[in-house]
């Protein structure tokens, strides 16, 4: 056994903790220099290595391949959109925060849950929200086409719309559904359907981003509280109206896997 | 012949401990009082733990890594092996080899506080591919030398550390490849390895059971020793990986213990452990955002919020904000909706006890936590003698509020300092904590200042506590000695500033008399001195006299003693009788409460789900847990307390006497496979009298219309003075109540897998009316359903959901008191957590959206509001 191999054996044995001290006290190194007599101490070796350069792993797979693999995805983004009310219903602009969480099920399909909160300004002042479940198709890996359905609604915090029937504020004795005019303040829930298209530029194994385009239809059951209660049933006396809105928005989504 | 080396890595990564019978009868002091490293000793192999490569194994080019969980019993034998993961699922033969040969391993058993316990350990075996055989043409055989010639060599000396935490990675398999050759070695306990390679380009590949595959390319010259460090990323940076289950010591009828992710990653709680209680059976809400629970139909003031058994004067900042204790200090939440142990006295509803533990660490570490509402930090400082943990937070919700209005401002702060020392047999703790809240509003216009613009303090709550503890454990007797000093300062409305001082001693012992008989006894006291009630120079009405009348005299003392016998009559039958007596004195009135209680647990059968079925780790837990039938009855007393705990405004004058309740319940606990369990309880509580009961609904007679000319449904507006008098009369008048119902909890516990629960409560809480009939309590909610689901995902993602449904609370109509109902409460919360890993630190990011779908909530008849509460948070861990 060469002396160089002897040194290696000692180092290996010490580092794996498999052998006890048993080697010669001193042996010349391959280049002729003296080697320490005692068995190398792994702890000393570790201390010696404290200041060394540390490296991370090289990529083991291509980033684009990783994004095609099944697994969890999270998206967060901003969008700017327009809400168009059907008929005489009010319209507004919206600054939207979009949160999406889901899973890439296979290279061509994903399933997402999306929460979209739009802060509206214009004839509607408040918050519009949409929460949908969205099966998503990827015709090419970076492109996503999603069709979703779920809840939607408004929380209107202020309104300058005139009351088409101000006498109802005082005359109503039970909940009433308005069929004419526009309810002055709308807060309520309904349903929404969404079509979404986005494209993601892969910028790393964990991060991508890209533009997003969304179109939606909302049907909202609006309610306006009169502040009074039907004293025989404790039911709130409210005015109700169904709203239908078409919305379109464009934004930028940041994605993590 | 192909040479296949086995590499074995043994890492204790999760510990499912079931404490043995000895521990069960001993009712030991809470394990969090012990240094964790000393309390648990992992199993060590007896002899070699080697897996032989099966003869029928196919050839493979890449290493095949198989990870299993091994259940090691109290004797050190392997009771079960379960597959966790394999790099090559298609090569089942390797999996079978590990599963089968692993059952033959033997270990020195793990111990917990000196007693052998069952544990699960993770075991990884790497089957290395055969080294390529050198094919030598026959014509060259004759010319080859007999002895191999020394080839030029080089060395790679490296150290493996974990990315983010910089911990050394031991027993990792390191492979060096060049050309057709390769060498393999294993890192030692310092993460160090040495490879002898050929000079030139060398590919280094590393496999570690808990870490991602590592690949790197190196160039080394002849006779050079390249010194290098490698950072390996862990597959999962789960901060709740180590979980110790200590179920066998249970003697209560109703207790739910939540730990780990169950208390810190539930959506809608802002990561606050105490808020999770709102999702448990038996708990109704006043308003869904207000975290004070209505437990089994009792008033919120009947439920105690405690830290390690000590009352917290202000649990939630600004009453609805985050709790005043940094969540990192809370190890588990113990929730008793009723039938709580005798050590908890002076409450008639439930108990919520946040148990802390020493935050032991080998290295200095720090967390910084920032979100939209607050910023804080926590530092752990280890020394040879003790470990110190210091945390502080500052809340700035006023910043967000200022976007909407400049007429109100809110801010809060809190701090915690904890120093732990000693050893498992004798440990000590100094725990100081405190908090302050301040609400500023625009004062009402006066003649002198008709247009006020500067905000003034409208309410201020502040407290400090110093908790000194010493715990000793002997062979037969354990003792815990605690002395708490406190000061509270509350600006109780604009009229008066109240300053109180407290001293709270607590002494408790556990005495194991014989194998089947144990005694738990103790004394505790609570003394309050009113330092001062100072009228405020704010222009408001001086309320100091009213405050003094409400609180009684300047000095108040409560003192109690209890003794509880835990008697294992049979192995399957545990009877726990006990009695507690408290003396209450407020300087004017002295009253005594005597509370006898009896708890019985009987295990008629054990469901052996575990070892015969398809093995999973959770099944082993179930296999160790028998079916328990349980029953309890007891008498409970408490002094009158303010509606919600506020510093200095907790206990009020004893003039009206003590509140009294009789609690009774029967139930069953059934273990199921896959870490599931079912807990069902039927309860009946009688509450007579109740004082300061939360009653706000108007009587039917108050719902008479204004008369001709008034609007439909328009009611007379009570003037402020009569309204205040009416509320005060209602609160101070003794009432009689009862509640009964069914609580069901289906729960899955898993430190690394899917966790959650379904909690359903069907109940009725009623109050006796003047006419002798029973009417629903103002916050009675017939159906309460909570669905909580947490899903850990790869790459350090976690997603969790909570859905809550509660029946609407009663409403009065002209037809009678509380005969109608408001709309039910629906709420859907979602939370997403991500832990990002940098080379030297970790960054936790979370988004928590409360009421994500904006379900409206009717808080009173006709008063409805919609909200969504998103919270973004960042937490850096160094």
């Amino acid at each position: 056994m060469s002396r160089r191999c002897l040194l290696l054996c000692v180092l290996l044995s010490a580092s794996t903790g498999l052998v006890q001290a048993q080697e010669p006290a001193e042996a010349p190194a391959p280049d002729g220099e003296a080697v320490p007599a005692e068995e190398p101490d792994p702890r000393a070796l570790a201390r010696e290595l404290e200041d060394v350069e540390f490296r991370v792993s090289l990529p083991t797979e291509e980033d684009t391949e990783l994004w095609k693999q099944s697994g969890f995805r999270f998206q967060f983004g901003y969008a700017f959109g327009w809400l168009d009310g059907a008929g005489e219903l009010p319209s507004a602009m919206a600054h939207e925060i979009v949160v999406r969480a889901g899973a890439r099920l296979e290279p061509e399909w994903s399933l997402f849950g999306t929460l979209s909160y739009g802060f509206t300004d214009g004839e509607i002042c408040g918050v519009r929200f949409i929460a949908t479940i969205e099966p998503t198709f990827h015709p090419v890996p970076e492109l996503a086409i999603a069709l979703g359905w779920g809840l939607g609604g408004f929380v209107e915090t202020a309104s300058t719309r005139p009351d088409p029937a101000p006498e109802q504020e005082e005359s109503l004795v039970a909940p009433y559904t308005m069929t004419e005019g526009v309810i002055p303040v709308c807060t309520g829930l309904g349903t929404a359907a969404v079509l979404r298209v986005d494209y993601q530029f892969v910028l790393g194994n964990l991060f991508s981003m890209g533009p997003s385009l969304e179109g939606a239809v909302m049907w909202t059951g609006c309610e306006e509280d009169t502040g009074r209660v039907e004293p025989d049933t404790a039911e709130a006396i409210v005015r109700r109206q169904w709203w239908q809105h078409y919305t379109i928005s464009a934004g930028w989504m940041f994605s993590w896997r | 012949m192909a040479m296949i080396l086995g590499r074995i890595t043994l890492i204790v990564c999760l510990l499912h401990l079931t404490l043995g019978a000895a521990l069960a009868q001993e009712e030991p002091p809470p394990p969090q009082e012990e240094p964790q490293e000393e309390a648990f000793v992992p199993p060590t192999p007896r002899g070699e733990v080697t897996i032989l490569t099966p003869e029928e194994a196919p050839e493979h080019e890449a290493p095949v890594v198989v990870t299993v969980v091994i259940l090691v019993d109290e004797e050190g034998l392997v009771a079960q092996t379960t597959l966790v993961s394999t790099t090559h699922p298609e090569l089942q033969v390797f999996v079978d080899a590990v599963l089968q040969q692993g059952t033959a391993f033997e270990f020195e058993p793990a111990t917990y506080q000196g007693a052998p316990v069952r544990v699960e350990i993770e075991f990884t075996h790497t089957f290395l591919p055969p080294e390529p055989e050198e094919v030598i043409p026959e014509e060259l055989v004759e010319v080859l030398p007999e002895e191999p010639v020394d080839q030029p060599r080089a060395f790679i000396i490296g150290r493996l550390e974990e990315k983010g935490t910089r911990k050394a990675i031991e027993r990792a398999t390191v492979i060096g490849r060049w050309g057709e050759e390769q060498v393999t070695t294993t890192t030692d306990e310092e993460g160090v390895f040495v490879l002898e390679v050929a000079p030139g380009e060398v590919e280094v590949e590393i496999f570690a059971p808990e870490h991602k595959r590592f690949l790197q390319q190196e160039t080394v010259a002849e006779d050079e020793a390249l010194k290098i460090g490698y950072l390996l990323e862990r597959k999962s940076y789960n901060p709740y990986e180590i979980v110790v289950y200590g179920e066998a010591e249970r003697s209560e009828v109703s207790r739910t213990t939540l730990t780990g992710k169950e208390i810190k990653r539930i959506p809608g709680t802002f990561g606050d452990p105490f808020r999770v209680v709102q999702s448990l059976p038996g708990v109704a809400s006043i308003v869904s955002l207000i975290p004070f629970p209505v437990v089994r139909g009792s008033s919120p003031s009947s439920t105690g919020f405690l830290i390690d058994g000590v009352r917290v004067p202000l649990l939630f900042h600004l009453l609805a904000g985050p709790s005043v204790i940094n969540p990192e200090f809370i190890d588990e939440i113990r929730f008793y909706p009723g039938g709580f142990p005798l050590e908890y006295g002076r409450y008639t509803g439930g108990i919520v006890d946040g148990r802390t533990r020493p935050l032991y660490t080998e290295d200095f570490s720090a967390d910084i936590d920032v979100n939209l509402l607050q910023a804080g930090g926590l530092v752990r400082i280890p020394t040879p003698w003790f470990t110190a943990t210091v945390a502080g937070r500052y809340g700035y919700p006023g910043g967000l509020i200022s976007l909407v209005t400049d007429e109100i401002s809110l801010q809060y702060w809190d701090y915690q300092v904890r120093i732990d020392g000693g050893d498992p047999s004798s440990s000590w703790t100094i725990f100081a904590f405190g908090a302050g809240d301040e609400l500023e509003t625009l004062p009402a216009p006066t003649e002198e200042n008709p247009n006020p613009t500067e905000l003034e303090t409208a309410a201020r709550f502040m407290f400090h506590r110093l908790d000194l503890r010493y715990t000793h454990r002997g062979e037969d007797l354990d003792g815990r000695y605690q002395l708490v000093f406190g000061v509270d300062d509350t600006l109780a409305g604009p009229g008066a500033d109240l300053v109180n001082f407290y001293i709270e001693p607590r002494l408790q012992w556990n005495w194991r008399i014989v194998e089947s008989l144990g005694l738990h006894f103790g004394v505790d006291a609570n003394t309050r001195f009113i330092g001062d009630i100072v009228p405020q120079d704010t222009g408001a009405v001086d309320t100091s006299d009213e405050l003094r009348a409400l609180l009684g005299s300047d000095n108040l003392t409560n003192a109690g003693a209890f003794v509880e016998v835990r008697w294992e009559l049979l192995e399957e039958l545990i009877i726990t009788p006990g009695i507690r007596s408290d003396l209450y004195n407020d300087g004017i009135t002295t009253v005594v409460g005597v509370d006898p209680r009896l708890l019985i647990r009987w295990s008629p059968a054990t469901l052996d789900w575990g070892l015969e079925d398809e093995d999973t780790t959770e099944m082993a837990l179930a296999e160790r847990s028998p079916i328990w039938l349980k029953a309890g009855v007891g008498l409970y007393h408490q002094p009158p307390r303010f509606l919600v705990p506020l510093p200095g405004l907790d206990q009020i004058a004893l003039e009206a006497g003590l509140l009294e309740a009789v609690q009774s319940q029967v139930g069953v606990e059934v273990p199921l496979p896959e870490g599931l369990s079912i807990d069902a309880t039927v309860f009946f509580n009688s509450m007579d009298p109740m004082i300061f009961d939360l009653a706000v609904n108007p009587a039917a007679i108050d719902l008479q219309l204004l008369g001709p000319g008034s609007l439909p449904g328009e009611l007379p507006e009570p003037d402020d003075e009569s309204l205040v008098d009416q509320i005060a009369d209602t609160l101070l008048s003794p009432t009689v109540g009862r509640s009964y119902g069914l609580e069901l909890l289906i729960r899955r516990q898993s430190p690394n897998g899917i966790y959650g629960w379904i909690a359903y409560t069907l109940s009725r809480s009623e109050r006796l009316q003047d006419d002798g009939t029973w009417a629903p309590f103002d916050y009675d909610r017939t159906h309460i359903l909570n669905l909580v689901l947490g899903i850990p995902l790869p790459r350090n993602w976690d997603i969790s959901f909570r859905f809550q449904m509660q029946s609407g609370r009663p409403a009065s109509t002209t037809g009678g008191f509380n005969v109608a109902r408001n709309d039910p409460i629906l709420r859907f919360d979602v939370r997403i957590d991500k832990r990002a890993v940098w080379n030297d630190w970790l960054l936790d990011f979370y988004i928590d959206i409360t009421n994500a779908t904006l379900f409206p909530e009717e808080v009173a008849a006709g008063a409805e509001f919609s909200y969504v509460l998103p919270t973004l948070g960042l937490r850096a861990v160094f």
Side-chain angles (χ1 to χ4, degrees), chain B residues 245-278:
Chain B
Y245 292 120
E247 297 289 348
E249 65 181 274
R250 293 282 305 275
S251 61
E252 307 83 4
V253 175
S254 295
R255 186 185 90 184
T256 303
T257 303
L258 303 172
T259 60
K261 291 180 181 178
E262 293 176 324
I263 57 175
K264 291 173 185 167
R265 289 199 171 171
I266 301 301
T269 65
F270 316 116
D272 188 339
F274 286 96
R275 282 178 178 264
V276 183
V277 170
Q278 295 285 154

Side-chain angles (χ1 to χ4, degrees), chain A residues 2 4-5 7-8 11-12 14-17 30-31 42-43 45-50 52-60 70-74 76 99-102 115 117 127 129 131 151 154-155 169-173 187-189 205-206 223 225 227-237 256-257, chain B residues 150-153 155 157-161 163 166 185-190 192-196 213-218 223 227-231 703 705 711-714 793 795 797 799 811-815 820 822 830 832 834 839 845 847 849 851-856 858 861-864 866 868 872:
Chain A
S2 73
R4 192 163 48 200
C5 286
L7 171 63
L8 175 66
L11 285 172
L12 280 173
S15 67
T16 53
D31 56 2
R43 290 177 181 278
L45 199 55
R47 278 194 296 275
E48 195 182 329
L49 291 171
E50 273 179 2
V52 299
E53 175 198 358
F54 275 85
R55 298 183 194 171
V56 295
S57 177
L58 297 170
T60 52
S70 58
F72 181 72
R73 301 287 185 274
F74 176 70
F76 189 83
V99 179
R100 304 184 78 210
L115 294 168
Y117 301 96
V127 175
F129 96 97
L151 293 171
F154 288 99
V155 177
E169 279 288 333
E170 299 183 344
S171 62
L172 288 180
V173 296
T187 293
L189 282 175
N205 63 345
L206 297 175
E223 284 193 356
D225 199 349
R228 291 181 288 118
V229 174
E230 210 293 306
D232 295 329
T233 62
E235 188 180 1
I237 299 174
W256 291 265
R257 63 180 285 277
Chain B
D150 277 356
Q151 298 294 320
R153 290 293 180 189
F155 298 93
I157 303 173
R159 176 181 167 92
L160 303 190
E161 290 186 2
K163 196 176 172 186
R166 303 309 293 262
T185 188
T186 307
T187 56
D188 67 4
E189 66 271 16
E190 300 284 349
V192 174
F193 70 90
V194 178
L195 285 178
E196 185 193 17
R213 179 183 164 221
F214 181 95
L215 193 63
Q216 190 53 267
Q217 201 76 30
E218 303 293 357
D223 288 335
K227 294 174 181 173
I228 192 73
Y230 293 140
L231 293 175
L703 291 171
L705 304 182
L711 299 177
E714 190 178 20
L793 296 162
R795 298 183 296 281
W797 289 97
I799 186 164
S812 298
T813 71
T814 52
N822 292 340
V830 60
I832 297 169
K834 165 71 177 174
N839 286 356
F845 163 84
I847 179 167
I849 306 177
N851 198 25
T853 45
L854 277 92
F855 287 124
E858 189 177 22
E864 192 173 87
S866 298
V868 57
L872 293 171

Side-chain angles (χ1 to χ4, degrees), chain B residues 137-335:
Chain B
E138 287 183 7
E139 61 273 19
L140 294 180
V141 170
E142 292 179 1
V143 299
L144 283 175
E146 291 183 359
E147 293 291 326
V149 177
D150 277 356
Q151 298 294 320
R153 290 293 180 189
F155 298 93
I156 298 175
I157 303 173
R159 176 181 167 92
L160 303 190
E161 290 186 2
E162 185 172 281
K163 196 176 172 186
T165 65
R166 303 309 293 262
K167 292 176 181 169
I169 301 172
E170 59 178 327
R171 301 175 195 274
T173 301
V174 183
I175 304 169
R177 290 196 191 91
W178 65 98
E180 296 295 318
E181 293 186 61
Q182 69 174 38
V183 292
T184 303
T185 188
T186 307
T187 56
D188 67 4
E189 66 271 16
E190 300 284 349
V192 174
F193 70 90
V194 178
L195 285 178
E196 185 193 17
V197 297
E201 296 280 335
V202 178
E203 182 187 82
V204 179
E205 189 172 19
I206 302 172
F207 295 91
E210 293 297 312
H211 298 80
K212 292 180 180 175
R213 179 183 164 221
F214 181 95
L215 193 63
Q216 190 53 267
Q217 201 76 30
E218 303 293 357
T219 304
V220 281
E222 185 174 349
D223 288 335
E224 182 192 14
L226 173 66
K227 294 174 181 173
I228 192 73
Y230 293 140
L231 293 175
L232 271 67
E233 189 169 344
R234 200 175 174 81
K235 288 174 186 166
S236 170
Y237 288 79
N238 176 7
Y240 310 104
E241 205 164 57
I242 295 179
V243 173
V244 178
Y245 292 120
E247 297 289 348
E249 65 181 274
R250 293 282 305 275
S251 61
E252 307 83 4
V253 175
S254 295
R255 186 185 90 184
T256 303
T257 303
L258 303 172
T259 60
K261 291 180 181 178
E262 293 176 324
I263 57 175
K264 291 173 185 167
R265 289 199 171 171
I266 301 301
T269 65
F270 316 116
D272 188 339
F274 286 96
R275 282 178 178 264
V276 183
V277 170
Q278 295 285 154
S279 302
L280 295 177
V283 180
S285 301
I286 301 173
V287 176
S288 70
L289 277 179
I290 303 265
F292 292 99
V294 175
V295 178
R296 287 186 178 172
S298 62
S299 210
S301 61
S302 297
T303 295
F305 281 93
L306 315 172
I307 295 287
D308 291 334
V310 176
R311 185 184 65 87
V312 185
L314 174 71
L315 187 61
F316 298 104
H317 285 297
L318 306 165
L319 296 181
S323 68
V324 298
I325 303 288
N326 189 311
E328 290 301 305
F329 280 90
I330 306 296
D331 184 44
E332 64 178 35
I333 293 288
R334 295 181 182 178
F335 172 58

Side-chain angles (χ1 to χ4, degrees), chain B residues 17 22 43 101 164 202 236 260 281 288 313 326 337 399 436 457 478 531 589 846:
Chain B
L17 302 189
Q101 297 177 41
V202 178
S236 170
S288 70
N326 189 311
T457 301
D478 303 333
T589 308
Y846 68 86

